[in-house]
Amino acid sequence: MSDAAEQYILGIDIGASRTAFGLVSWDGKIFYPEIIQSKVEGALLIDRLLSVSEKILGRAEAERKEVLGIGIGSPGIVNSQEGIVIAAGNLPELFGARLKDIFEQKFQLPVSVENDVNADAVGEMVFGVAKGQRHFVVFSLGTDLGGGIVIDGRLYRGADFIAAEFGHLTLDLGGKRCVCGGYGCAREYISGAGLAERGREELPGESLALKMVGGDREKLTSKEIFQAWQKGDPDATRLVDEFGKRFGALVSNVMKVLDPELVILAGGVCRAVPEMVNLVVRWTRHYYFPIPKLPEFCLSRFTKEDSVLGPVAVFMVERRSDQSACSPKKNK
Ligand SMILES: [Zn+2]
């Protein structure tokens, strides 16, 4: 077997909007990065996942790169033991998909499958801002809101792989029905799609954010709302204050359950808004116990391209624990 540094893992991070691919070396360098749209009219996502993977693995083979396996991150509830997506509200095509079996049969390589934000949490521990941290949580804010929990240096999945569904904690007792079957879920307010929806419903016609999209409410995204807020627009400020309050209340609730030492804010929406940490800390302080010390808050440094590091880290951690389980003499 060759040197570990010359071994590679194919990482696939399936997102609600975009899916990233990359071949990752053991020390975290990404080769052949590729990003595709997750939803394409008339084309099945799983078929496209397989064909892009085949292309990247073909390149690796041509350049004599030794590939150890494939790590996949998927939105929704994922049975990571069997590699099955149990539910995925944003990508119904993945409901019940046996991704581990499908990829193992096609490529004859070992495959790990994990919830995308759980994978992000492991990625932060191996390659990111949580190196050396034992107790931390990840709030990943993109189109949707996801969560990840690490307790005592290990990913916490719960009894049925449902843990850390922060986006589906109830924030509004009289709220709307959610895709998950619950009501008033946090993601209706704290997510890119949720904030945009609030903007469509509540912004007056002459407000700055709507002007940015030519007055077309359907085109409004969270991006324009945050940009208008950064310029001091009062209508956007009302929306973002409400967003910050709810986000702070949610983070504070999670902190009261888990008492983390670090809170990581990740995902495309947090990346685009550098003020997010201050906004969340301000409102978390408001709702949390009045003690002087809060955990550390920081932004993830991972971009969409880097998101493949999460599922790759999951594969690496599983492989390490497999190896230690097979060769007990290596353990003290
Ligand atoms: Zn829900």
Side-chain angles (χ1 to χ4, degrees):
M1 200 186 263
S2 57
D3 190 323
E6 291 165 23
Q7 296 175 327
Y8 299 83
I9 296 132
L10 173 62
I12 306 173
D13 177 60
I14 306 170
S17 325
R18 299 187 299 159
T19 293
F21 300 78
L23 192 72
V24 180
S25 60
W26 201 259
D27 56 354
K29 293 195 186 75
I30 302 171
F31 298 80
Y32 324 139
E34 189 138 353
I35 291 183
I36 63 169
Q37 294 299 316
S38 299
K39 287 179 189 164
V40 171
E41 206 52 45
L44 290 174
L45 174 60
I46 293 175
D47 289 349
R48 291 183 298 126
L49 296 178
L50 289 169
S51 90
V52 176
S53 301
E54 191 167 23
K55 193 174 84 183
I56 294 174
L57 291 170
R59 271 185 83 175
E61 198 181 348
E63 295 184 14
R64 295 174 189 276
K65 287 184 160 70
E66 183 190 355
V67 179
L68 297 177
I70 302 171
I72 302 174
S74 166
I77 296 167
V78 175
N79 176 333
S80 53
Q81 225 154 29
E82 296 181 41
I84 303 170
V85 182
I86 300 167
N90 289 313
L91 293 169
E93 186 198 326
L94 293 181
F95 265 71
R98 307 183 73 89
L99 293 179
K100 183 177 165 73
D101 289 351
I102 293 169
F103 277 76
E104 281 186 348
Q105 275 162 25
K106 168 90 177 168
F107 299 112
Q108 301 297 312
L109 285 168
V111 174
S112 66
V113 185
E114 184 54 82
N115 164 275
D116 53 354
V117 187
N118 282 355
D120 285 348
V122 180
E124 295 290 359
M125 213 167 16
V126 175
F127 298 114
V129 293
K131 275 183 196 166
Q133 303 277 348
R134 307 292 299 167
H135 306 282
F136 68 92
V137 289
V138 178
F139 288 83
S140 182
L141 197 66
T143 310
D144 209 329
L145 171 63
I149 298 171
V150 168
I151 298 175
D152 207 13
R154 296 175 76 98
L155 180 66
Y156 183 73
R157 297 180 172 101
D160 280 311
F161 309 99
I162 296 174
E165 287 292 338
F166 300 158
H168 297 283
L169 297 188
T170 305
L171 272 195
D172 181 354
L173 297 186
K176 279 197 295 192
R177 191 91 195 250
C178 173
V179 284
C180 74
Y183 293 87
C185 289
R187 68 194 282 278
E188 295 289 328
Y189 307 90
I190 311 158
S191 69
L195 182 62
E197 187 59 32
R198 297 283 82 69
R200 276 179 218 120
E201 286 172 3
E202 294 171 26
L203 285 176
E206 69 283 2
S207 69
L208 181 59
L210 277 172
K211 278 187 195 154
M212 289 176 182
V213 288
D216 185 348
R217 287 181 188 270
E218 288 311 304
K219 285 194 184 146
L220 184 73
T221 69
S222 62
K223 191 174 141 197
E224 290 80 36
I225 296 171
F226 280 114
Q227 281 174 350
W229 170 66
Q230 284 159 339
K231 293 190 163 99
D233 173 68
D235 297 318
T237 301
R238 250 192 320 275
L239 282 180
V240 173
D241 276 351
E242 187 61 31
F243 166 94
K245 274 185 195 171
R246 289 182 187 269
F247 202 170
L250 182 72
V251 171
S252 159
N253 283 342
V254 168
M255 279 164 47
K256 286 169 186 166
V257 177
L258 293 170
D259 187 22
E261 59 193 329
L262 171 69
V263 175
I264 301 173
L265 303 178
V269 172
C270 292
R271 251 193 323 275
V273 184
E275 302 93 333
M276 190 66 80
V277 169
N278 285 343
L279 181 72
V280 175
V281 168
R282 176 182 161 209
W283 287 111
T284 301
R285 229 176 231 300
H286 181 80
Y287 291 106
Y288 195 58
F289 303 126
I291 54 175
K293 187 176 170 288
L294 283 190
E296 194 186 333
F297 280 70
C298 72
L299 280 177
S300 168
R301 287 197 291 265
F302 293 161
T303 63
K304 181 65 191 171
E305 285 76 9
D306 296 328
S307 66
V308 298
L309 293 174
V312 163
V314 170
F315 181 92
M316 288 166 63
V317 169
E318 278 181 14
R319 189 176 168 93
R320 273 188 212 140
S321 56
D322 277 0
Q323 283 176 340
S324 60
C326 293
S327 42
K329 277 178 196 159
K330 281 187 183 170
N331 293 337
K332 281 170 208 157

